[in-house]
C-alpha cells in the first residue's frame, strides 16, 4: 500500500521506480569493451572485499593479542568509503584502471557496500569473491548512458549499441519528459546481452478504493498461489505449471552435470566441457525464469485490478536461506517476485497490499475456531483441528487467515495471533529487476 495514494482522493501523479530491459546486439569489439568493464568491476569488487576482509582479520588478531581495537581501526564499508579506498589503491593494484569508464568502479563499490549492509542486517552471509565465468554485469550511471533513438543505446566508452527490439516504450516517455533514466545494467548470460534500465517514471495513480473485495493469498509448494475471501470462498488457484516443473527438473539435471565438470578455480581456467555445461544451465535458467515471471505477471495484474485489499505473508528471510530443498527454493523465488510486483501494481490500480508480519501463524491457526497449533510440518497437506474438528486444505486455511487480516478494523490476527499487526508496505518497487509489462496509464 502506498500512503501517498491513500492521501489523495482523486487522481494525481506519483513517481515510481521501474525497470525496462532490452536485448542488445553489441559488435564483437563492443562486446570486448563491455567484458572489460564487467571484468574491471569484478576486479575492483574483489580487491576491495580482500582489503576489508584482511582489515577485519588484523583487528581480530589484535583483539586476541589483548590490544585495544576501536571503530577507527575498521575500514569503512560505505559506498563512499569503499570508493575512497579504491582511489587510494587503484594505481598500485590496477594500473590499467583508466581503460574503463568510472561507472565500473563506482558500481563495484556500491554493490560491495550493499552486500555489507545485507550482511550487517543479517539478511545475507559475509560477501564472497566474484568468480570469472559467471556471466556478470556492470552498472552504468545515468551520465554514461542514453537512448539515441528507438533502436540504439549510447554508452560512454562503448559507443552506439544496437538493440534487438524497439525501445519505444521507454524512448517515448523519456523524450516527453515523463521518465528519467537513473542507471543501466548491462549483463551477458549464456552468450546473450541485455541492458536493464532503472527508470523513474511519472504516472497518474488511481484514487484508493474502498476495501470491499478482500483476498488472502498463500504461496505454497504444490499449489503456487491459493487465494480466498475472508468468508473462506476459494477464488484463486494457480498451480506450478507442468511445463515449468519439467524445465525445472531439466535445470537441476544440467546443474548436476556442470557441477561434475572442472569449473573455474583460483589460478585455473575452467574446462571447455564445463563451459558448455554451464552455457546450457544458463539457457534453461533464463527460459524457466521468463516463463515463471510471465505467470506471476498475469496473477499479480489480476489481483491488483480485481481486488481492493490483497493480504500476503511477509516471509522470514533468515528462515528462507536455511531451507535448501528445490521445491522450497522455487516457492520462495515465486513469493519474492510476486510481492515485488504486487507492491507496484497495487499503486498503479489503487488497491492496497497488506503484509502479515513474519511471525503471524497463518498456516498453524484454525480458520474456524482460532486455535493455534504448536507444530505443523511441511508435508501435512490437510489442516486437522483437534479443537473443533475442522479438516481443510492447508493452503486454503492459511489464505483464509490472511484474508481476515485485510478486513477493515482488523488490527491483529484472528483469535490468538495477538502479536501480529498487518504491515502496510511502503517499499518502492525494486529497481534491480526487469519487468516487461506496461502500466495502465502513463504520462502527466
Ligand atoms: Zn478449529
Amino acid at each position: 500500500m502506498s500512503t501517498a495514494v491513500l492521501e489523495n482522493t482523486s487522481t494525481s501523479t506519483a513517481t515510481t521506480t521501474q525497470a525496462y530491459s532490452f536485448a542488445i546486439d553489441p559488435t564483437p569489439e563492443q562486446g570486448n569493451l563491455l567484458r572489460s568493464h564487467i571484468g574491471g568491476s569484478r576486479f575492483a569488487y574483489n580487491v576491495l572485499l580482500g582489503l576489508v576482509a584482511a582489515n577485519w582479520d588484523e583487528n581480530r588478531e589484535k583483539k586476541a593479542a589483548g590490544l585495544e581495537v576501536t571503530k577507527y581501526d575498521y575500514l569503512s564499508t560505505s559506498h563512499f568509503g569503499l570508493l575512497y579506498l579504491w582511489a587510494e589503491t587503484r594505481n598500485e593494484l590496477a594500473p590499467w584502471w583508466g581503460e574503463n569508464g568510472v561507472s565500473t568502479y563506482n558500481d563495484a563499490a556500491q554493490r560491495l557496500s550493499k552486500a555489507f549492509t545485507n550482511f550487517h542486517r543479517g539478511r545475507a552471509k559475509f560477501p564472497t569473491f566474484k568468480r570469472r565465468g559467471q556471466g556478470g554485469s556492470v552498472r552504468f550511471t545515468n551520465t554514461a548512458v542514453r537512448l539515441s533513438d528507438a533502436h540504439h543505446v549510447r554508452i560512454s566508452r562503448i559507443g552506439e549499441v544496437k538493440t534487438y527490439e524497439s525501445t519505444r516504450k521507454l524512448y517515448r516517455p523519456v523524450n516527453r519528459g515523463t521518465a528519467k533514466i537513473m542507471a543501466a545494467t548491462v549483463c551477458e548470460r549464456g552468450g546473450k546481452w541485455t541492458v536493464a534500465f532503472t527508470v523513474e517514471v511519472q504516472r497518474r495513480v488511481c484514487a484508493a478504493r474502498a476495501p470491499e473485495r478482500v483476498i488472502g493469498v498463500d504461496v505454497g509448494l504444490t499449489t503456487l498461489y491459493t487465494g480466498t475471501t475472508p468468508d473462506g470462498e476459494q477464488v484463486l488457484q494457480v498451480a506450478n505449471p507442468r511445463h515449468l516443473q519439467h524445465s525445472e527438473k531439466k535445470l537441476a539435471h544440467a546443474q548436476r552435470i556442470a557441477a561434475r565438470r572442472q569449473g573455474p578455480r583460483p589460478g585455473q581456467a575452467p574446462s571447455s566441457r564445463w563451459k558448455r555445461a554451464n552455457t546450457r544451465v544458463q539457457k534453461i535458467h533464463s527460459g524457466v525464469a521468463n516463463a515463471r515471471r510471465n505467470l506471476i505477471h498475469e496473477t499479480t495484474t489480476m489481483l491488483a485490478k480485481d481486488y481492493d485489499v490483497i493480504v500476503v505473508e511477509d516471509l522470514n528471510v533468515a528462515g528462507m536461506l536455511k531451507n535448501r530443498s528445490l521445491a522450497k527454493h522455487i516457492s520462495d523465488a515465486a513469493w519474492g517476485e510476486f510481492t515485488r510486483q504486487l507492491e507496484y501494481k497495487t499503486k498503479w490500480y489503487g488497491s492496497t497490499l497488506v503484509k502479515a508480519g513474519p511471525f503471524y501463524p497463518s498456516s498453524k491457526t484454525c480458520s474456524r475456531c482460532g486455535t493455534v497449533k504448536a507444530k505443523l510440518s511441511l508435508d501435512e497437506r490437510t489442516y486437522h483441528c483437534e479443537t473443533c474438528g475442522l479438516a481443510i486444505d492447508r493452503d486454503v486455511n492459511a489464505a483464509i487467515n490472511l484474508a481476515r487480516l485485510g478486513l477493515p478494523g482488523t488490527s491483529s490476527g484472528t483469535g490468538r495471533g495477538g502479536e501480529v499487526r498487518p504491515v502496510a508496505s511502503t517499499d518502492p518497487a525494486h529497481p534491480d529487476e526487469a519487468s516487461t509489462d506496461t502500466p495502465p496509464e502513463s504520462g502527466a
Side-chain angles (χ1 to χ4, degrees):
M1 173 179 73
S2 150
T3 42
V5 172
L6 273 185
E7 278 157 18
N8 294 315
T9 44
S10 60
T11 311
S12 60
T13 60
T15 308
T16 54
T17 308
Q18 226 200 309
Y20 288 84
S21 96
F22 304 101
I24 52 172
D25 182 22
T27 63
E29 199 184 326
Q30 288 172 336
N32 287 338
L33 284 169
L34 285 168
R35 275 187 210 106
S36 161
H37 279 72
I38 291 171
S41 172
R42 180 177 51 229
F43 185 88
Y45 184 101
N46 286 344
V47 160
L48 292 171
L49 174 56
L51 290 170
V52 172
N55 169 251
W56 285 23
D57 285 345
E58 198 185 301
N59 286 334
R60 214 172 289 133
E61 260 176 58
K62 257 178 155 178
K63 266 189 209 161
L67 293 166
E68 195 198 358
V69 176
T70 70
K71 64 177 181 178
Y72 302 104
D73 292 314
Y74 285 92
L75 290 173
S76 163
T77 55
S78 72
H79 177 192
F80 290 103
L82 290 170
L83 264 186
Y84 184 74
L85 185 60
W86 174 249
E88 270 187 326
T89 49
R90 65 188 175 188
N91 287 335
E92 190 188 333
L93 298 170
W96 41 261
W97 63 269
E99 287 169 23
N100 301 318
V102 284
S103 280
T104 314
Y105 312 110
N106 181 50
D107 175 52
Q110 198 165 15
R111 281 186 205 211
L112 184 58
S113 163
K114 210 170 169 185
F116 270 111
T117 306
N118 286 338
F119 169 68
H120 288 308
R121 300 212 176 136
R123 290 192 295 236
K125 292 185 181 161
F126 191 82
T128 52
F129 291 102
K130 288 194 185 298
R131 284 182 303 164
R132 197 187 278 267
Q134 284 177 321
S137 64
V138 64
R139 189 176 170 93
F140 294 92
T141 51
N142 58 356
T143 50
V145 62
R146 67 184 167 82
L147 295 174
S148 335
D149 57 46
H151 292 278
H152 293 89
V153 182
R154 177 158 198 93
I155 307 173
S156 98
R157 303 271 189 137
I158 313 292
E160 297 276 346
V161 183
K162 235 176 83 185
T163 61
Y164 272 110
E165 47 193 324
S166 165
T167 62
R168 212 173 29 203
K169 63 181 175 183
L170 177 59
Y171 181 63
R172 273 193 189 152
V174 166
N175 266 357
R176 236 190 278 129
T178 54
K180 193 176 168 221
I181 294 172
M182 308 307 288
T185 303
V186 176
C187 80
E188 183 185 23
R189 204 151 285 159
K192 284 182 185 152
W193 292 91
T194 50
V195 58
F197 292 95
T198 306
V199 181
E200 258 188 13
V201 186
Q202 294 268 337
R203 70 163 42 98
R204 260 177 288 180
V205 290
C206 310
R209 301 186 294 226
E212 280 168 6
R213 289 160 302 174
V214 179
I215 187 170
V217 184
D218 181 71
V219 180
L221 296 181
T222 43
T223 306
L224 206 49
Y225 304 116
T226 304
T228 71
T229 64
D231 321 327
E233 190 197 340
Q234 188 177 352
V235 285
L236 173 75
Q237 184 173 31
V238 179
N240 205 1
R242 221 162 252 209
H243 68 93
L244 213 51
Q245 281 180 34
H246 180 68
S247 313
E248 270 150 5
K249 270 191 200 133
K250 262 188 2 200
L251 177 62
H253 180 68
Q255 278 168 334
R256 277 197 302 274
I257 292 179
R260 283 198 295 266
R261 307 272 189 262
Q262 192 79 44
R265 281 188 213 147
Q268 190 184 5
S271 71
S272 56
R273 274 155 64 80
W274 179 85
K275 279 188 199 155
R276 269 202 309 276
N278 194 48
T279 308
R280 188 169 151 70
V281 168
Q282 305 288 358
K283 260 194 193 147
I284 303 175
H285 193 268
S286 63
V288 169
N290 283 341
R292 195 187 300 119
R293 181 165 289 159
N294 287 342
L295 175 76
I296 299 174
H297 268 305
E298 271 173 37
T299 313
T300 52
T301 300
M302 184 280 287
L303 284 170
K305 261 187 181 167
D306 295 355
Y307 289 89
D308 303 318
V309 178
I310 302 133
V311 191
V312 297
E313 225 173 341
D314 196 358
L315 281 199
N316 176 351
V317 180
M320 273 168 60
L321 290 176
K322 267 181 227 146
N323 195 318
R324 298 237 164 217
S325 97
L326 178 68
K328 185 71 173 58
H329 176 78
I330 290 162
S331 88
D332 289 347
W335 180 86
E337 178 64 13
F338 180 72
T339 317
R340 187 187 76 78
Q341 289 184 11
L342 275 179
E343 267 164 13
Y344 67 81
K345 287 184 186 178
T346 48
K347 280 181 204 164
W348 290 355
Y349 295 105
S351 40
T352 302
L353 177 66
V354 175
K355 286 186 188 171
F359 301 108
Y360 176 55
S362 61
S363 301
K364 290 182 195 156
T365 305
C366 171
S367 59
R368 187 195 280 166
C369 70
T371 304
V372 182
K373 279 192 187 218
K375 246 189 126 175
L376 183 72
S377 72
L378 267 179
D379 52 332
E380 283 177 59
R381 301 310 314 159
T382 305
Y383 183 97
H384 287 283
C385 178
E386 274 112 52
T387 313
C388 73
L390 176 72
I392 185 172
D393 178 84
R394 170 204 183 95
D395 299 338
V396 172
N397 183 58
I400 296 171
N401 287 325
L402 288 168
R404 290 191 182 147
L405 285 184
L407 289 173
T410 319
S411 63
S412 67
T414 52
R416 307 178 197 179
E419 79 273 25
V420 185
R421 226 156 266 122
V423 186
S425 151
T426 50
D427 289 358
H430 273 251
D432 295 342
E433 290 280 323
S435 95
T436 47
D437 63 342
T438 36
E441 49 188 323
S442 62

